[in-house]
Amino acid sequence: MAGFGTNDIKGREKEDEGDKNSNTLESHVVIRTEGEEVGQSSSERDTIHRSGSRPQLDLSKAAIQGNFEERDPAILLPNQSDDLSHLALDIGGSLIKLVYFSRHEGQSIDDKRKKTLKERLGISNGSRRSYPILGGRLHFVKFETNKINECLDFIYSKQLHRGGMDARIWNPDAPTNESSVVKATGGGAYKFADLFKERLGVSLDKEDEMNCLVSGANFLLKAIRHEAFTHMEGQKEFVQIDQNELFPYLLVNIGSGVSIIKVDGDGKFQRVSGTNVGGGTYWGLGKLLTKCKSFDELLELSQRGDNGAIDMLVGDIYGGMDYSKIGLSASTIASSFGKAISENKELEDYSPEDISLSLLRMISYNIGQIAYLNALRFGLKRIYFGGFFIRGHAYTMDTISFAVQFWSNGDAQAMFLRHEGFLGALGAFMSYEKHGLDDLMVHHLVERFPMGAPYTGGKIHGPPLGDLNEKISWMEKFVRKGTEITAPVPMAPPGTTGLGGFEVPSSKGGTLRSDASALNIGVLHLVPTLELFPLLADPKTYEPNTIDLSDHGELEYWFTVLSEHLPDLVDKAVASEGGTDDAKRRGDAFAHAFSAHLARLMEEPAAYGKLGLVNLLELREECLREFQFVDVYRSIKQRENEASLAVLPDLLMELDSMSEEARLLTLIEGVLAANIFDWGSRACMDLYHKGTIIEIYRMSRNKMQRPWRVDDFDVFKERMLGSGDKKPCPHKRALLFVDNSGADVILGMLPLARELLRRGTEVVLVANSLPALNDATATELPEIVAEAAKHCDILRRAAEAGGLLVDAMVSSLDGSNGNSSSVPLMVVENGCGSPCIDLRQVSSELAAAAKEADLVILEGMGRALHTNLNAKFKCDALKLAMVKNQRLAQKLIQGNIYDCVCRYEPVS
Ligand SMILES: Nc1ncnc2c1ncn2[C@@H]1O[C@H](COP(=O)(O)OP(=O)(O)O)[C@@H](O)[C@H]1O
Ligand SMILES: CC(C)(COP(=O)(O)O)[C@@H](O)C(=O)NCCC(=O)O
Ligand SMILES: [Mn+2]
């Protein structure tokens, strides 16, 4: 449909009138679940959501209460917290790497509704793992080895040596275990054992370094989706690792020295070679030759260098010509530092920049070459490079990649790891028994990039700041200091010439992002309750994002959309927390944090792994949560729900007076029309100033004209109603992924759900676990359904059967009580708090509900267009959305804003 003219819409006063007339939800609330927001003080709500992502999935309290019959493992065994280890170390020649685990208080809403639901879905008992996976977070921190005292202070301040602060949060009476044991690897585990004992009273349990490197690498390659990447000529590309073809591979760890390991499987490896010319050589020699004070300074110098001033090039020997017969260009380095012998110059006559670059190239190239030769020795094609020498530095990676590519004629591939320097520490962490990490799968891990590490220059450790005040004041300091965070990472292509030579890197004068602000690895959230959505036709090829943000134009467009939305979002966020000074400070901090993330990603889109809209939109919500904005759109949602519930009875009556066929069309039309209530869309927000909810809804419905831009309604209708005399059998169970609040869910999806129920199909409403924009959450839905059920027998009976109406439930219309024989209407949480959905990581509840489902209905722009438009399912799928963005409409459906998509994909 075309745009909405102002003529269509009446003045704003109407809305207020409508508000006065409508019943408020609060006055009708019947069920109130534990932990529910209604009526809670904001501080109570904070506690519930403070833990950030997906707390509902983490049923820690249930486990704490000792109900070992429950399947949900989440965070478990608080009383055994002494057995659970929280810290592992890799103490190397140059750096100390720490991996530590923190548990966070999850929200458990184990109410009656959930219990009934679990019974229905058959997930109440049995199949507990023998070793529960822990729910919590893995943090990565590093220190310089020569500043070991800083490291000891850090461990002490976080009490990590005592099993962590968390242990006492769970069990305040837990004795502090003075003789605790911490897993450690690297030479320092021996060298500093006494110091750890003396200062912290802990014994270091030494683990073999190679073993740790390998198990760390294997864990990363198996459990993290976007861990490994190639880096050629400035281009970073993530590689999808086929788990069946993971082994064998060559692992090259470039620390102070270099270890080269052939890996054949878990625990199956051989250190086949190594070289003493490694990261320590670059840093050591570089320090002597340039007087640099830090590794980063040295690396930064290299970016402004011209190694041709020191290196003897092929051209220098051949009078400026290539030696093309053997494939060497004039710019190929014939002899690193070779020029220094023929010139009558002293060290001071060479620039530190040139020296640093010569050194970097010499060492990187040499390691690349030795790595390749070893790969050749064993016929290996995949070479993974780790170790902190790499430091995510584009030029280093390009040089190594070039060497491998050049010498192997393209046969072997150099790949790098995002957690490059933490392999050993992760391996040491893995060596604890009983942590259950071996069972972890890709879908159990969510990586988050919190703001608030101390980015102050110089310090290389960057523990995330847990305390909100600390975070905000850091953010304020940062804002005063300037743009340290957003300073560009030098990513300029190195200008490789081919033929074994390199031109001088073209990036000039850029400062290297300080190590602590590199922010390219986040905190790994372990969420054991996440699962792969079982109805995906082919999980291996599934890609949630529809739009490819590696297209720079797209990236820029969506970044602009998000930036422009920010001021309004901050206003709403601050208002949602009462507009207090504290809320304003948090609002400011949020705006800066989110802008900094955007700026970071704009410079280096792949910094946080492969980037898509699903990540960007979730990042925004996560960032709000980080600054404790619990539910920004709460009052908007409530107002829209109230207005919509008030007109629901009329709508249901209207529907009931129609023929089956007309009704089905009206229902689908209703869903599409009501999808206009989206507070994430700029165009829609502008629209809301022009009319009341009900007016906009009516107008939207009046404008629904078929054919829609994508219109598979007739095929869907045939599947639902049959044709001629043939009545098809109804679907057994439909999953309805709902979107937005108010009209969208109440006047759109609920009536559709009711129709399915009427036809004997069980309905599962799938809603967000956490708030995102104005999306209804799974905790809000039962109340909404309860209200709707007051006006509708079908909904009431189904809701009762699905356990949605509990205790002193609505006084039923027909006076009957108790369980009816109706097919059930259920509500499950989807496991996320974003306007989009990545079906590789959904709640276990949803995964269980999906097993019996034969129809999936995805609704809304976020879940059906930005993500999943191209997703294929093992069952029938209906994708419904109104496109509320002009550019997207053009791109996806060659249409216009407010056009509609009704895509039906029957299982073949
Ligand atoms: N901030 C830093 N300080 C010192 N060295 C660093 C730093 N960042 C990167 N490096 C490089 O990383 C190397 C150490 O890598 P790492 O994998 O930690 O090995 P090790 O276990 O031998 O300490 C150093 O020799 C240096 O080349
Ligand atoms: C965030 C959204 C995906 C939510 O849409 P919904 O799923 O509610 O239909 C959408 O509002 C969106 O893409 N907004 C940004 C584009 C714009 O403002 O035009
Ligand atoms: Mn939405």
Side-chain angles (χ1 to χ4, degrees), residues 870-887:
N870 303 321
K872 297 272 172 280
F873 295 93
K874 284 181 188 158
C875 64
D876 294 349
L878 182 66
K879 297 166 185 173
L880 298 171
M882 179 189 277
V883 194
K884 290 147 289 191
N885 174 282
Q886 180 61 29
R887 183 182 167 107

Side-chain angles (χ1 to χ4, degrees), residues 373-615:
L373 289 172
N374 277 287
L376 186 69
R377 248 176 98 195
F378 299 102
L380 305 173
K381 304 244 181 271
R382 293 178 297 272
I383 311 176
Y384 295 102
F385 290 87
F388 268 127
F389 166 69
I390 295 167
R391 203 216 169 285
H393 190 241
Y395 195 78
T396 307
M397 292 188 281
D398 276 350
T399 309
I400 292 173
S401 300
F402 182 86
V404 170
Q405 153 94 20
F406 178 75
W407 290 110
S408 73
N409 256 324
D411 218 27
Q413 197 175 29
M415 288 173 283
F416 303 90
L417 302 169
R418 285 187 45 239
H419 293 81
E420 53 188 16
F422 287 103
L423 307 187
L426 255 174
F429 192 86
M430 304 287 296
S431 69
Y432 283 114
E433 281 173 19
K434 294 192 192 173
H435 54 42
L437 281 175
D438 308 329
D439 291 346
L440 272 186
M441 312 266 276
V442 177
H443 54 260
H444 292 136
L445 288 162
V446 185
E447 195 175 5
R448 300 255 174 256
F449 297 86
M451 269 297 155
Y455 294 92
T456 45
K459 287 198 177 147
I460 57 161
H461 56 275
L465 296 173
D467 180 80
L468 182 68
N469 254 326
E470 219 182 328
K471 221 177 251 183
I472 295 174
S473 41
W474 173 78
M475 199 60 74
E476 286 163 346
K477 228 184 288 164
F478 152 69
V479 173
R480 272 201 303 276
K481 260 187 99 178
T483 54
E484 204 174 321
I485 277 187
T486 51
V489 170
M491 286 296 294
T496 318
T497 59
L499 296 178
F502 297 83
E503 300 294 0
V504 178
S506 52
S507 104
K508 299 275 179 202
T511 49
L512 189 74
R513 176 185 299 285
S514 100
D515 201 16
S517 63
L519 262 188
N520 61 353
I521 56 167
V523 176
L524 278 184
H525 292 221
L526 276 53
V527 192
T529 47
L530 290 179
E531 289 185 34
L532 184 73
F533 187 58
L535 292 173
L536 281 177
D538 185 4
K540 271 197 184 144
T541 56
Y542 170 77
E543 163 59 53
N545 291 292
T546 309
I547 291 172
D548 184 2
L549 288 188
S550 59
D551 173 334
H552 199 76
E554 289 295 341
L555 186 71
E556 226 163 326
Y557 174 76
W558 288 103
F559 272 63
T560 311
V561 165
L562 292 181
S563 302
E564 286 176 351
H565 191 205
L566 200 52
D568 178 75
L569 181 60
V570 173
D571 285 351
K572 286 199 169 61
V574 172
S576 75
E577 297 279 321
T580 59
D581 285 348
D582 170 62
K584 283 183 195 143
R585 270 184 90 207
R586 285 189 280 134
D588 255 12
F590 157 72
H592 283 112
F594 186 57
S595 306
H597 275 302
L598 286 182
R600 173 83 178 97
L601 288 167
M602 195 65 210
E603 293 157 19
E604 197 191 340
Y608 300 173
K610 197 174 168 209
L611 185 66
L613 267 181
V614 66
N615 318 91

Side-chain angles (χ1 to χ4, degrees), residues 557-558 561 617 620 675 677-683 739-740 773-775 835-836 859-863 866 882 884-885:
Y557 174 76
W558 288 103
V561 165
L617 290 167
R620 181 170 68 182
N675 192 229
F677 292 99
D678 163 17
W679 283 90
S681 147
R682 161 66 50 198
D739 181 26
N740 303 337
L773 293 168
N774 61 321
D775 289 339
C836 299
E859 193 226 348
M861 202 149 111
R863 293 171 193 84
H866 286 326
M882 179 189 277
K884 290 147 289 191
N885 174 282

